Amino acid sequence: MTNIDQLSIDTIRVLAADMVQAANSGHPGAPMGCAPMAHVLFTQFINANPKNSEWFNRDRFVLSNGHACALQYVLLHLLGYKVSMDDLKNFRQLNSVTPGHPEKTHTDGIEVTTGPLGQGIANAVGMAVAERHLAATFNQPEFPIIDNTVFAIVGDGCLQEGVASEASSLAG
């Protein structure tokens, strides 16, 4: 790990902890613990464009354990999405673009609303199935039009819900 990687991870952790502390509400543990994995995922794997956050063939990221959303908001801010430092400071405040769980219609870069446990993993599976269907329908040899990937961070609480088992069964 390079010094810049460690600095990036530490920055994610500190910003997430500060957000939760300032709001006097939320969970800092998951964002702090997931910071190294999320840093690698967003810097080395996810293919997306903050300047065109609705680009059709972008990779998708779903945070199924939505209570850890401080992590996602910090990443969106650092990557250049429309999430400002003031937005991070207004975490979990009324009419904020950084509500207590990710909301698709509130925050640039959020792919799906994840509130109830298990909802995110079910949505991620559905998005992956749709991607595979579109790829099978429209891709041609030597011309892959659809080649995006769906990534998800899923918590143990999500996996305890029946909908997660059903979605996982569908996914294979």
Side-chain angles (χ1 to χ4, degrees):
M1 179 182 310
T2 67
N3 288 340
I4 192 69
D5 288 324
Q6 189 61 55
L7 178 62
S8 299
I9 292 165
D10 292 345
T11 300
I12 294 166
R13 286 175 166 158
V14 169
L15 286 173
D18 283 352
M19 289 169 61
V20 171
Q21 183 67 30
N24 197 26
S25 177
H27 307 275
M32 293 174 71
C34 291
M37 150 178 61
H39 168 70
V40 170
L41 185 62
F42 275 84
T43 59
Q44 297 180 26
F45 292 96
I46 291 183
N47 184 17
N49 181 357
K51 304 295 183 220
N52 184 4
S53 61
E54 294 296 320
W55 166 47
F56 184 76
N57 198 38
R58 69 191 178 280
D59 288 341
R60 272 50 172 202
F61 173 74
V62 177
L63 182 67
S64 188
N65 51 335
H67 64 278
C69 60
L71 170 73
Q72 191 169 15
Y73 298 143
V74 168
L75 289 165
L76 293 172
H77 168 70
L78 294 174
L79 292 168
Y81 286 84
K82 296 173 189 161
V83 178
S84 70
M85 185 61 80
D86 283 339
D87 293 330
L88 297 182
K89 291 177 183 178
N90 286 317
F91 176 58
R92 287 184 166 246
Q93 303 305 306
L94 186 62
N95 300 318
S96 167
V97 299
T98 52
H101 283 80
E103 300 279 345
K104 170 67 174 155
T105 59
H106 285 74
T107 312
D108 185 43
I110 300 293
E111 294 293 341
V112 62
T113 299
T114 56
L117 290 172
Q119 180 178 332
I121 187 171
N123 275 282
V125 168
M127 294 164 85
V129 168
E131 181 273 331
R132 291 295 173 108
H133 173 71
L134 287 170
T137 302
F138 296 107
N139 287 358
Q140 299 296 314
E142 304 299 319
F143 194 66
I145 298 170
I146 308 296
D147 63 354
N148 63 306
T149 302
V150 179
F151 297 91
I153 293 178
V154 181
D156 60 337
C158 293
L159 296 175
Q160 294 175 29
E161 296 296 324
V163 68
S165 296
E166 296 298 326
S168 298
S169 177
L170 175 64

